[in-house]
Amino acid sequence: MADVLSLRSLNRATLARQMLLVREKAEEVSVAGAVERLCGMQAQEPKPPFLGLWTRLAGFEGAQLHAALQERSVVRATMMRGTLHLMSAPDYTALRASMQPMLDAGLRMLGARAEGLELDKVLPAARVLLEERPRTFNELRALLQEEFPEVNDRALGFSVRMCLPLVMVPTDDRWGFARTSEFTLADVWLGEPPSEDPSPDALVLRYLAAFGPASVADAQEWSGLPKLGEVLERLRPRLRTFKDDKGRDLFDLPDAPRPDEDTPAPARFLPEFDNLVLAHADRSRVIAAAHRPSLTTKNLRVRATFLWEGFAAGLWELERKRKVATLRLRPFEKLPKRALKELTAEGERLLGFAEPDAAERQVVLAEE
């Protein structure tokens, strides 16, 4: 009979894999290695991964991520759930083809705008344009519109984004990318094409290493791919299985860390869009169901959260006015004094990283 894992056990197992119980030393775990252990970092905007690595790597400096991007050991590209992620170059080349069915399905969002869209003509044309040099999507859409004037320009751009393996070109901007970034072909940037063979087994194993123990529904939520139950059943002989407190099957790698549920969990700040709060269908291992609606804004931004005793205990935001940097805590419930003390100390350290030139830094509770 499968062992039952408590909610706290699931929480501690996930935090351990996400490097949120103990910070790894930046001199021992490279940026590319950290991104690989996390099986990618959502990067809808360029700044959050810098903060996400700071909260996971002791001694992390922004220059290390800049270097990894420039050296091409880490790339920013469309991956899980059709969203931009930082991926290690080996993970991207190995796993990109596994995403394609989900990315193809995303084209249905175009609806009537897809009228006249012929991918077998548009994609080769886009490839020729991108082989000439990197281009922004505004530029690429305009050039494709000249060649395919009867097709909706947004449909042209979206189809290229979903169906061609592209990476964003990093710059010297503070957070690694310009506000309007250029894209290039992944094979040109990396010197080798992504594998054309889907590897769902490898994808699921990488997911479990970063986010397990997890259910079929969890893996599907994280990836955006359907029918992963077939994959997990095929892998079952190689995995350990558990039950959660609701009786659902959970799968995990046999030797993956599963700390005791009483393992201390320090105060931590997660940036916007962090995969910790997005990688499971049942997110109660990280955030209570009552608080989950607060995570997302009306325009689908995923807010920054802070962890107390392992669970999301509130939201935070950083504001800069002239030389004063303020980190504002918005707890879901009243915080005990010890929590406020530890979060304040951690928040001050975060401010030192995010706003090093501020003359004054302060952590405050938001006014109701």
Side-chain angles (χ1 to χ4, degrees):
M1 185 173 179
D3 293 337
V4 176
L5 294 177
S6 69
L7 189 64
R8 284 179 61 89
S9 293
L10 287 175
N11 173 269
R12 296 309 194 257
T14 307
L15 295 184
R17 296 162 207 213
Q18 288 287 300
M19 297 182 277
L20 292 168
L21 286 182
V22 177
R23 278 188 170 97
E24 300 288 350
K25 295 180 180 179
E27 63 267 23
E28 296 178 2
V29 178
S30 69
V31 164
V35 171
E36 195 159 291
R37 280 178 57 174
L38 298 170
C39 201
M41 303 182 75
Q42 188 157 329
Q44 288 298 92
E45 295 181 357
K47 180 179 178 180
F50 283 83
L51 304 184
L53 287 169
W54 175 86
T55 210
R56 291 171 166 93
L57 296 176
F60 171 75
E61 296 179 359
Q64 294 168 308
L65 179 50
H66 274 277
L69 291 164
Q70 295 289 346
E71 293 164 2
R72 309 185 188 193
S73 61
V74 171
V75 297
R76 186 180 178 204
T78 300
M79 282 291 286
M80 286 73 73
R81 304 181 298 280
T83 59
L84 288 168
H85 275 69
L86 290 191
M87 303 291 295
S88 73
D91 266 359
Y92 180 76
T93 55
L95 302 177
R96 172 61 176 73
S98 298
M99 296 289 108
Q100 197 56 55
M102 174 268 298
L103 298 173
D104 289 341
L107 296 179
R108 291 197 295 264
M109 295 171 56
L110 292 172
R113 290 179 296 173
E115 184 177 353
L117 179 65
E118 297 180 72
L119 292 179
D120 60 340
K121 295 180 180 178
V122 171
L123 298 183
R127 173 171 278 278
V128 168
L129 292 169
L130 289 164
E131 283 175 341
E132 291 176 356
R133 61 178 177 82
R135 300 180 187 273
T136 68
F137 259 89
N138 286 339
E139 182 183 5
L140 187 61
R141 279 194 300 267
L143 292 169
L144 288 172
Q145 184 84 86
E146 292 177 6
E147 194 164 347
F148 304 97
E150 304 301 320
V151 183
N152 179 279
D153 68 326
R154 293 288 167 177
L156 290 168
F158 188 67
S159 63
V160 172
R161 188 187 293 267
M162 293 292 104
C163 298
L164 275 186
L166 305 176
V167 300
M168 299 178 78
V169 179
T171 66
D172 293 330
D173 288 73
R174 183 181 179 194
W175 304 116
F177 294 88
R179 183 176 294 275
T180 303
S181 294
E182 293 181 330
F183 286 75
T184 191
L185 296 162
D187 55 339
V188 172
W189 186 253
L190 294 174
E192 62 174 318
S195 170
E196 295 181 0
D197 298 322
S199 50
D201 291 25
L203 179 73
V204 166
L205 292 173
R206 297 286 293 107
Y207 169 68
L208 293 178
F211 294 101
S215 68
V216 171
D218 291 331
Q220 292 178 166
E221 180 77 12
W222 167 78
S223 64
L225 292 166
K227 300 181 180 179
L228 291 184
E230 301 169 5
V231 177
L232 282 160
E233 285 303 321
R234 184 166 61 246
L235 292 171
R236 186 184 284 268
R238 298 171 53 184
L239 302 175
R240 280 199 66 180
T241 56
F242 301 90
K243 296 282 187 182
D244 66 11
D245 56 10
K246 300 179 180 69
R248 292 175 294 206
D249 285 337
L250 301 174
F251 299 84
D252 203 8
L253 304 181
D255 299 325
R258 288 178 289 274
D260 185 273
E261 65 175 29
D262 293 326
T263 301
R268 290 286 186 259
F269 285 85
L270 302 177
E272 293 177 300
F273 305 106
D274 197 280
N275 271 337
L276 182 74
V277 297
L278 297 172
H280 300 87
D282 181 354
R283 301 177 193 176
S284 60
R285 71 177 68 196
V286 176
I287 184 168
H291 304 318
R292 183 168 165 176
S294 302
L295 273 179
T296 309
T297 66
K298 291 181 180 179
N299 61 351
L300 301 183
R301 291 185 67 86
V302 180
R303 292 185 169 105
T305 58
F306 60 83
L307 306 181
W308 169 246
E309 294 190 340
F311 293 86
L315 310 173
W316 65 273
E317 57 200 35
L318 196 158
E319 180 182 66
R320 175 71 181 263
K321 289 185 177 180
R322 296 182 181 177
K323 287 292 186 178
V324 179
T326 302
L327 191 156
R328 190 167 285 105
L329 303 174
R330 298 187 181 277
F332 296 136
E333 299 172 354
K334 185 176 180 180
L335 294 170
K337 289 183 179 179
R338 184 168 70 90
L340 189 56
K341 180 179 179 181
E342 292 188 19
L343 286 163
T344 298
E346 180 73 354
E348 289 171 348
R349 289 188 286 269
L350 174 56
L351 282 171
F353 171 78
E355 299 292 343
D357 61 340
E360 182 181 346
R361 306 184 193 104
Q362 56 186 7
V363 178
V364 301
L365 275 175
E367 297 179 3
E368 296 296 333

